[in-house]
Amino acid sequence: MTTRAGTSVPESEPYFDDLAELYERFTQVRDAVTSPIRQWLVEHLPPGSRALDAGCGSGNNCVLLTERYDEVVGVDIAQRMLDLAAAKPSRVPVRYDCRSALTLDPAEDGDFDLVMSVNAVFHMGPAETVLTRLRDLVAPGGRLIVVDVTRPDGAPARLPSSYAFDTARIIYEATGDIEAAADSMRMMLHPRWREMSSKCLPLTDSEFAREYAAALPGVRITPNLIPTMSGAVWDAP
Protein backbone atom coordinates (compact mmCIF):
# COMPACT_ATOMS: atom_id res chain seq x y z
CA MET A 1 0.00 0.00 0.00
CA THR A 2 1.32 3.46 -0.86
CA THR A 3 0.67 6.62 1.09
CA ARG A 4 0.23 10.05 -0.49
CA ALA A 5 3.84 10.79 0.39
CA GLY A 6 4.88 7.80 -1.71
CA THR A 7 6.09 5.64 1.15
CA SER A 8 5.09 1.99 1.21
CA VAL A 9 3.28 1.28 4.46
CA PRO A 10 1.51 -1.96 5.41
CA GLU A 11 -1.90 -1.08 6.82
CA SER A 12 -1.45 -4.02 9.15
CA GLU A 13 1.39 -2.29 11.06
CA PRO A 14 -0.08 -2.13 14.59
CA TYR A 15 1.65 1.02 15.85
CA PHE A 16 -0.99 1.54 18.51
CA ASP A 17 -0.13 -1.67 20.31
CA ASP A 18 2.89 0.26 21.60
CA LEU A 19 0.95 3.47 22.18
CA ALA A 20 -2.28 2.12 23.64
CA GLU A 21 -2.15 3.59 27.14
CA LEU A 22 -0.93 7.01 26.01
CA TYR A 23 -3.48 7.12 23.20
CA GLU A 24 -6.24 6.12 25.60
CA ARG A 25 -5.50 9.25 27.64
CA PHE A 26 -5.57 11.35 24.46
CA THR A 27 -8.92 9.95 23.37
CA GLN A 28 -10.47 10.64 26.77
CA VAL A 29 -10.13 14.31 25.86
CA ARG A 30 -11.22 13.92 22.24
CA ASP A 31 -14.23 11.78 23.19
CA ALA A 32 -15.38 13.70 26.25
CA VAL A 33 -19.06 14.69 26.33
CA THR A 34 -18.09 18.35 26.05
CA SER A 35 -15.71 17.81 23.11
CA PRO A 36 -16.75 19.56 19.86
CA ILE A 37 -15.98 16.34 18.02
CA ARG A 38 -18.23 14.24 20.26
CA GLN A 39 -21.03 16.81 20.05
CA TRP A 40 -20.78 16.88 16.24
CA LEU A 41 -20.88 13.09 16.05
CA VAL A 42 -23.95 12.83 18.25
CA GLU A 43 -25.76 15.41 16.13
CA HIS A 44 -25.15 13.37 12.97
CA LEU A 45 -25.89 9.83 14.14
CA PRO A 46 -28.74 8.38 12.04
CA PRO A 47 -31.48 6.04 13.25
CA GLY A 48 -30.89 2.33 12.76
CA SER A 49 -30.04 -0.92 14.46
CA ARG A 50 -26.54 -1.89 13.24
CA ALA A 51 -23.36 0.22 13.49
CA LEU A 52 -19.67 -0.20 12.68
CA ASP A 53 -16.70 1.74 14.07
CA ALA A 54 -13.75 1.25 11.71
CA GLY A 55 -10.45 1.82 13.49
CA CYS A 56 -12.26 1.83 16.82
CA GLY A 57 -9.18 2.01 19.04
CA SER A 58 -10.05 1.71 22.72
CA GLY A 59 -13.78 1.69 22.05
CA ASN A 60 -14.99 5.03 23.40
CA ASN A 61 -17.14 5.63 20.34
CA CYS A 62 -18.38 2.04 20.31
CA VAL A 63 -19.74 2.61 23.82
CA LEU A 64 -21.44 5.75 22.54
CA LEU A 65 -22.99 3.81 19.66
CA THR A 66 -24.48 1.18 21.99
CA GLU A 67 -26.70 3.92 23.40
CA ARG A 68 -28.45 4.10 20.00
CA TYR A 69 -27.85 0.83 18.18
CA ASP A 70 -28.59 -2.75 19.20
CA GLU A 71 -25.65 -4.28 17.32
CA VAL A 72 -22.24 -2.57 17.33
CA VAL A 73 -19.06 -3.88 15.73
CA GLY A 74 -15.64 -2.35 16.33
CA VAL A 75 -12.59 -3.29 14.26
CA ASP A 76 -8.97 -2.31 14.81
CA ILE A 77 -5.58 -3.80 13.99
CA ALA A 78 -4.12 -3.13 17.45
CA GLN A 79 -5.08 -5.92 19.86
CA ARG A 80 -3.90 -3.94 22.89
CA MET A 81 -6.37 -1.18 22.02
CA LEU A 82 -9.15 -3.75 21.74
CA ASP A 83 -8.22 -5.18 25.14
CA LEU A 84 -8.82 -1.73 26.64
CA ALA A 85 -12.08 -1.45 24.71
CA ALA A 86 -13.40 -4.82 25.84
CA ALA A 87 -13.06 -3.81 29.51
CA LYS A 88 -15.49 -0.90 29.12
CA PRO A 89 -19.13 -1.39 30.09
CA SER A 90 -21.82 -0.73 27.49
CA ARG A 91 -25.59 -0.99 27.13
CA VAL A 92 -25.28 -3.95 24.75
CA PRO A 93 -22.17 -6.07 24.11
CA VAL A 94 -19.83 -4.79 21.41
CA ARG A 95 -18.23 -7.31 19.03
CA TYR A 96 -14.57 -6.32 18.73
CA ASP A 97 -12.53 -7.82 15.88
CA CYS A 98 -8.75 -7.51 15.50
CA ARG A 99 -8.55 -6.96 11.75
CA SER A 100 -8.05 -4.32 9.11
CA ALA A 101 -11.14 -2.39 8.10
CA LEU A 102 -10.02 -2.97 4.51
CA THR A 103 -10.80 -6.68 4.91
CA LEU A 104 -14.46 -6.01 5.68
CA ASP A 105 -16.79 -7.24 2.95
CA PRO A 106 -20.55 -6.65 2.82
CA ALA A 107 -21.02 -10.13 1.35
CA GLU A 108 -19.51 -11.69 4.48
CA ASP A 109 -19.90 -9.03 7.17
CA GLY A 110 -23.23 -7.58 6.07
CA ASP A 111 -23.99 -3.88 5.78
CA PHE A 112 -24.58 -1.26 8.45
CA ASP A 113 -27.01 1.57 9.08
CA LEU A 114 -24.02 3.55 10.30
CA VAL A 115 -20.36 3.22 9.37
CA MET A 116 -18.13 5.54 11.38
CA SER A 117 -14.40 6.17 11.54
CA VAL A 118 -12.71 8.71 13.82
CA ASN A 119 -9.06 9.70 13.48
CA ALA A 120 -8.26 6.54 11.53
CA VAL A 121 -8.83 6.83 7.76
CA PHE A 122 -5.51 8.51 7.01
CA HIS A 123 -3.72 5.69 8.85
CA MET A 124 -5.37 3.04 6.67
CA GLY A 125 -4.19 4.10 3.24
CA PRO A 126 -5.14 6.32 0.30
CA ALA A 127 -8.47 8.05 0.86
CA GLU A 128 -9.96 6.70 -2.37
CA THR A 129 -9.26 3.10 -1.37
CA VAL A 130 -10.41 3.43 2.24
CA LEU A 131 -13.52 5.51 1.58
CA THR A 132 -14.67 3.21 -1.21
CA ARG A 133 -14.44 0.21 1.12
CA LEU A 134 -16.28 1.99 3.94
CA ARG A 135 -18.91 3.32 1.53
CA ASP A 136 -19.64 -0.20 0.29
CA LEU A 137 -20.45 -1.29 3.86
CA VAL A 138 -23.25 1.28 4.28
CA ALA A 139 -26.78 -0.10 3.95
CA PRO A 140 -29.23 1.59 1.56
CA GLY A 141 -30.41 4.75 3.29
CA GLY A 142 -27.60 4.46 5.84
CA ARG A 143 -24.82 6.90 6.65
CA LEU A 144 -21.03 7.08 6.64
CA ILE A 145 -19.45 9.50 9.13
CA VAL A 146 -15.73 10.24 9.13
CA VAL A 147 -13.68 12.51 11.35
CA ASP A 148 -10.06 12.65 10.29
CA VAL A 149 -6.87 14.61 10.76
CA THR A 150 -6.15 17.34 8.21
CA ARG A 151 -3.43 19.92 7.80
CA PRO A 152 -3.65 23.47 6.48
CA ASP A 153 -3.20 24.14 2.78
CA GLY A 154 0.42 24.91 2.07
CA ALA A 155 1.63 22.96 5.09
CA PRO A 156 4.92 21.09 4.52
CA ALA A 157 4.84 17.48 3.36
CA ARG A 158 6.21 16.50 6.76
CA LEU A 159 4.76 17.36 10.14
CA PRO A 160 6.86 20.10 11.78
CA SER A 161 8.95 19.32 14.83
CA SER A 162 6.67 21.62 16.84
CA TYR A 163 3.56 19.51 16.10
CA ALA A 164 3.58 17.72 19.46
CA PHE A 165 3.85 21.01 21.34
CA ASP A 166 1.18 22.67 19.18
CA THR A 167 -1.22 19.78 19.81
CA ALA A 168 -0.57 19.88 23.55
CA ARG A 169 -1.33 23.61 23.52
CA ILE A 170 -4.63 23.02 21.65
CA ILE A 171 -5.65 20.36 24.19
CA TYR A 172 -4.78 22.58 27.13
CA GLU A 173 -6.62 25.58 25.70
CA ALA A 174 -9.69 23.42 25.02
CA THR A 175 -9.77 21.60 28.36
CA GLY A 176 -7.53 23.32 30.90
CA ASP A 177 -6.19 19.83 31.67
CA ILE A 178 -2.42 20.17 31.88
CA GLU A 179 -1.92 16.43 32.49
CA ALA A 180 -3.86 15.54 29.34
CA ALA A 181 -1.80 18.07 27.38
CA ALA A 182 1.42 16.58 28.75
CA ASP A 183 0.29 13.03 27.93
CA SER A 184 -0.48 14.04 24.35
CA MET A 185 3.02 15.45 24.01
CA ARG A 186 4.56 12.29 25.48
CA MET A 187 2.62 10.22 22.96
CA MET A 188 3.63 12.33 19.97
CA LEU A 189 7.28 12.25 21.01
CA HIS A 190 7.22 8.45 21.38
CA PRO A 191 9.49 6.74 18.80
CA ARG A 192 6.64 4.63 17.42
CA TRP A 193 4.41 7.68 16.98
CA ARG A 194 7.22 9.53 15.21
CA GLU A 195 7.80 6.53 12.95
CA MET A 196 4.10 6.32 12.13
CA SER A 197 3.83 10.06 11.51
CA SER A 198 6.69 9.96 9.03
CA LYS A 199 4.75 7.44 6.95
CA CYS A 200 1.09 8.48 7.34
CA LEU A 201 0.67 12.08 6.26
CA PRO A 202 -2.80 13.65 6.62
CA LEU A 203 -4.49 15.33 3.68
CA THR A 204 -4.52 19.09 3.45
CA ASP A 205 -7.89 20.79 3.85
CA SER A 206 -8.26 21.18 0.07
CA GLU A 207 -7.15 17.60 -0.60
CA PHE A 208 -9.65 16.36 1.99
CA ALA A 209 -12.52 18.23 0.31
CA ARG A 210 -11.49 17.10 -3.18
CA GLU A 211 -10.81 13.43 -2.45
CA TYR A 212 -13.86 12.95 -0.25
CA ALA A 213 -16.12 14.57 -2.87
CA ALA A 214 -14.69 12.27 -5.53
CA ALA A 215 -15.17 9.09 -3.48
CA LEU A 216 -18.46 10.11 -1.85
CA PRO A 217 -20.66 12.13 -4.24
CA GLY A 218 -22.88 14.47 -2.26
CA VAL A 219 -20.68 14.33 0.86
CA ARG A 220 -21.12 17.16 3.36
CA ILE A 221 -17.87 18.38 4.87
CA THR A 222 -17.37 20.31 8.09
CA PRO A 223 -13.82 21.72 8.20
CA ASN A 224 -11.98 22.43 11.42
CA LEU A 225 -14.20 20.74 13.98
CA ILE A 226 -11.17 21.50 16.06
CA PRO A 227 -7.85 22.68 14.65
CA THR A 228 -6.39 19.89 12.47
CA MET A 229 -9.57 17.75 12.36
CA SER A 230 -12.45 17.81 9.84
CA GLY A 231 -15.69 15.87 9.50
CA ALA A 232 -17.57 14.33 6.59
CA VAL A 233 -21.09 12.91 6.32
CA TRP A 234 -22.32 10.84 3.36
CA ASP A 235 -25.79 9.34 2.99
CA ALA A 236 -26.24 6.20 0.91
CA PRO A 237 -29.03 6.26 -1.72
Side-chain angles (χ1 to χ4, degrees), residues 104-122:
L104 292 164
D105 186 330
E108 297 182 4
D109 299 292
D111 53 23
F112 298 85
D113 302 302
L114 169 71
V115 175
M116 185 171 75
S117 185
V118 178
N119 203 18
V121 165
F122 86 102

Side-chain angles (χ1 to χ4, degrees), residues 1-4 9-13 15-16 52-57 75-77 99-104 115-131 133-134 137 144-148 196 199-201 212:
M1 180 177 300
T2 303
T3 68
R4 290 166 292 278
V9 182
E11 201 273 340
S12 58
E13 180 71 33
Y15 290 102
F16 286 95
L52 167 71
D53 186 357
C56 66
V75 300
D76 201 281
I77 61 172
R99 62 190 291 197
S100 165
L102 300 181
T103 67
L104 292 164
V115 175
M116 185 171 75
S117 185
V118 178
N119 203 18
V121 165
F122 86 102
H123 290 299
M124 298 179 191
E128 179 183 9
T129 300
V130 180
L131 294 175
R133 178 53 57 92
L134 298 182
L137 293 164
L144 170 62
I145 299 177
V146 175
V147 175
D148 211 15
M196 176 183 66
K199 297 176 180 179
C200 302
L201 188 67
Y212 275 61

Side-chain angles (χ1 to χ4, degrees), residues 169-188:
R169 175 180 52 80
I170 290 169
I171 289 175
Y172 178 70
E173 289 175 351
T175 67
D177 188 337
I178 193 169
E179 289 300 324
D183 282 344
S184 76
M185 190 160 61
R186 292 186 189 101
M187 178 182 70
M188 292 182 179

